[in-house]
């Protein structure tokens, strides 16, 4: 598939599915925002069944997230028989979820210093959630339009990984 050709509808759907990883990685940080602005929950309503299945499997199968990560890297991102559009979006979703995981670790380390669940922790967690919502939302819109989502720095790293 060349860069300029328009991806098929099926390619667009398969390219959008991996963003569930980033959504599930960012949901725990949205507790404060979702309590204050429950209307945001309606944005997640269309994918609620997929989220429930993924999170259920994550709870019941040990290391499920790690298994999915390696499966996507080895079976999708490194497979040149799959369209570049799908591989690009898969890698971008993986990178977004990885960034959220690292930020979560930093938040966990800073929580005792910042005073548990204080205002600073709530603000940082809310910023992570809203950043995830914005980046995944933008990526999904671009994916369904058949275009590559260009998130500064992240997309550049993805282009280097996807041949």
């Amino acid at each position: 598939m060349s860069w300029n050709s328009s991806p098929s509808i099926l390619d667009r759907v398969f390219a959008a599915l991996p963003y569930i990883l980033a959504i599930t990685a960012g949901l725990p940080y949205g507790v404060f925002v979702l309590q204050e602005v429950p209307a945001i929950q309606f944005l997640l309503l269309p994918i609620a069944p997929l989220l429930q299945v993924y999170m259920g499997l994550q709870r019941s199968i040990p290391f499920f997230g790690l298994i999915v990560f390696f499966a996507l890297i080895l079976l999708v991102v490194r497979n040149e028989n799959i369209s570049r559009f799908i591989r690009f979006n898969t890698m971008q979703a993986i990178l977004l979820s990885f960034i959220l995981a690292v930020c979560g670790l930093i938040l966990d380390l800073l929580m005792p210093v910042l005073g548990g669940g204080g205002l600073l922790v709530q603000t940082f967690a809310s910023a992570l959630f809203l950043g995830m919502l914005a980046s995944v939302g933008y990526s999904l819109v671009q994916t369904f339009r058949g275009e590559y989502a260009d998130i500064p720095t992240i997309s550049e790293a993805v282009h280097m990984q996807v041949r």
Side-chain angles (χ1 to χ4, degrees):
M1 177 179 179
S2 72
W3 275 79
N4 297 332
S5 67
S6 179
S8 69
I9 299 296
L10 197 56
D11 279 355
R12 294 174 195 198
V13 170
F14 283 130
L17 284 176
Y19 286 105
I20 290 175
L21 293 173
I23 293 169
T24 56
L27 271 178
Y29 307 115
V31 174
F32 308 113
V33 174
L34 293 173
Q35 286 175 349
E36 295 297 321
V37 188
I40 293 178
Q41 293 175 12
F42 289 111
L43 294 173
L44 301 173
L45 209 52
I47 60 166
L50 289 173
L51 287 173
Q52 287 178 335
V53 168
Y54 182 82
M55 292 173 95
L57 289 170
Q58 203 169 19
R59 281 190 292 272
S60 62
I61 300 173
F63 303 109
F64 181 73
L66 192 61
I67 294 167
V68 169
F69 169 77
F70 281 116
L72 287 174
I73 290 287
L74 297 173
L75 300 175
V76 177
V77 175
R78 296 290 176 224
N79 186 350
E80 293 189 15
N81 294 326
I82 295 175
S83 75
R84 187 178 196 291
F85 186 71
I86 294 173
R87 293 183 298 124
F88 173 87
N89 282 290
T90 301
M91 190 64 205
Q92 186 154 283
I94 290 169
L95 193 54
L96 285 171
S97 62
F98 179 76
I99 290 168
L100 283 165
V102 169
C103 288
L105 289 173
I106 292 169
L107 183 63
D108 287 344
L109 290 173
L110 291 178
M111 228 186 291
V113 176
L114 300 175
L119 181 62
L120 203 51
V121 171
Q122 289 180 6
T123 303
F124 188 64
S126 296
L128 280 175
F129 176 73
L130 293 172
M132 176 277 302
L133 210 57
S135 60
V136 169
Y138 168 71
S139 297
L140 286 174
V141 167
Q142 291 296 92
T143 299
F144 284 120
R145 290 179 65 200
E147 299 176 10
Y148 288 85
D150 186 23
I151 301 172
T153 307
I154 293 172
S155 295
E156 294 166 13
V158 171
H159 281 299
M160 285 189 271
Q161 290 296 314
V162 177
R163 298 178 196 108

